Amino acid sequence: METSFLPTTLPTAKPLPAFRTHIGAASIRPQQRPRRSTIRAAITRGRKEETVATVREQLEGCYLLAGIKYEGLTVKQLQGIRDALPETCSLLVAKNTLVGKAIEGTPWEALKPCMKGMNAWLFVHTEEVPTALKPYRAFQKEERVEENNDFVGAVFEGKFYGPGDFKTLETMPSRSEVYATLLGALQGPATSLVATLQAPARDVVAVLSAYVRKLEEEAGAA
């Protein structure tokens, strides 16, 4: 009986061929992202344009624009000023260059001489200018900042008013006061009427307009 035996030595296995991958250099490079400096520049530019647009929007229907030196004031103090202002007024903190760009080519451009330092801008959308300025004057006295945080200038009816001229703005008669004066003159001697008509044109026009409206309302009611 024949017996067969398996060979004692197994054949050596051949190594498998190495698997090679061919990947282009471009495909393994990380995707380039926009530089942070570019993003920041775009955001900054967008904010500047937004500020200029806001200033121009505030100038619509504005009777007076005044600058206030706010260096040293806290955010809480600025908010307190805003809260004390009439609803017809707005306080905006913006760079001089941006405000200058917004008022360029307009009557408000007369305000440029006072565009130095850190300023906040008071937009007055009412003819009652003295009433609009009183809250900040009260704040100055209360916080004792009359010297360091005063008005730097204002433009009213296209004319520039420096810090020393604000008394004129703050003592302007209100519409009701001018109206009462002219109404009294119309009902009194001719000399009183002549004296009243010699007042600044803006006061006379304002009173006459109010008087005409009053007559129209009375006529309509009748």
Side-chain angles (χ1 to χ4, degrees), residues 6-127:
L6 293 173
T8 57
T9 305
L10 296 175
T12 304
K14 295 182 180 181
L16 295 173
F19 180 73
R20 297 181 181 181
T21 58
H22 299 279
I23 302 177
S27 62
I28 62 174
R29 290 179 182 175
Q31 186 177 1
Q32 294 183 352
R33 297 179 179 179
R35 295 182 179 180
R36 291 184 178 180
S37 58
T38 304
I39 297 176
R40 289 175 182 173
I43 294 175
T44 301
R45 182 169 59 254
R47 288 177 179 173
K48 288 180 179 179
E49 293 174 353
E50 183 179 349
T51 300
V52 172
T54 300
V55 173
R56 288 174 177 166
E57 182 180 331
Q58 287 292 327
L59 290 175
E60 296 180 6
C62 187
Y63 286 88
L64 178 139
L65 173 58
I68 299 173
K69 183 180 179 181
Y70 81 93
E71 185 175 3
L73 298 181
T74 64
V75 174
K76 184 178 180 180
Q77 287 175 317
L78 288 172
Q79 187 57 48
I81 297 170
R82 289 191 177 98
D83 294 340
L85 291 173
E87 294 182 357
T88 53
C89 300
S90 300
L91 186 69
L92 176 67
V93 176
K95 290 184 177 180
N96 298 329
T97 53
L98 300 180
V99 175
K101 184 177 181 180
I103 66 177
E104 191 172 5
T106 71
W108 305 105
E109 197 170 12
L111 194 62
K112 281 193 173 181
C114 68
M115 290 191 175
K116 300 176 182 178
M118 300 172 63
N119 296 321
W121 306 96
L122 177 63
F123 296 84
V124 178
H125 299 95
T126 175
E127 295 178 354

Side-chain angles (χ1 to χ4, degrees), residues 1 17 19 32 56 99-100 114 136 143 149 152 180 191 195 209 222:
M1 181 175 180
F19 180 73
Q32 294 183 352
R56 288 174 177 166
V99 175
C114 68
Y136 187 70
E143 299 292 332
N149 300 104
V152 295
T191 53
S209 298

